[in-house]
Amino acid sequence: SALRVHIVPTFGKLPVSAVSAVQVEHFLTHLATTRSVRTAARIRTTQRGLFRYAVRTRLIVKSPAEDVPRCGHLVWPRVGV
């Protein structure tokens, strides 16, 4: 699953309150460039759900994934391709 393969290895040891929007964006950009934009988009959806749950259960005040752009907008366009 996306959670087991991608999210937990990257964020699993951090308290949910310690994850920043910058970390989420870098993580998704890395996935979009090393895997695929589609994979990054699927994982973004999973992450957003996890963080929404953390907000709903008052573990955090605001989701760090809330303002992260869609994955197609994260990857810098390749020049000369």
Side-chain angles (χ1 to χ4, degrees):
S1 75
L3 184 64
R4 180 180 48 82
V5 173
H6 298 289
I7 298 170
V8 170
T10 303
F11 296 102
K13 294 188 184 216
L14 292 173
V16 69
S17 60
V19 179
S20 72
V22 171
Q23 288 172 306
V24 171
E25 191 165 340
H26 283 253
F27 169 67
L28 293 172
T29 300
H30 176 73
L31 284 174
T33 56
T34 60
R35 299 290 183 161
S36 72
V37 171
R38 186 175 180 185
T39 296
R42 183 173 48 85
I43 291 168
R44 176 181 177 263
T45 299
T46 301
Q47 265 193 322
R48 287 172 57 109
L50 292 168
F51 287 121
R52 274 196 301 267
Y53 178 77
V55 169
R56 198 169 52 250
T57 57
R58 300 175 190 217
L59 294 172
I60 55 176
V61 176
K62 182 182 177 194
S63 166
E66 185 177 314
D67 297 326
V68 173
R70 288 189 338 223
C71 294
H73 301 287
L74 292 173
V75 183
W76 293 96
R78 290 192 242 173
V79 178
V81 176

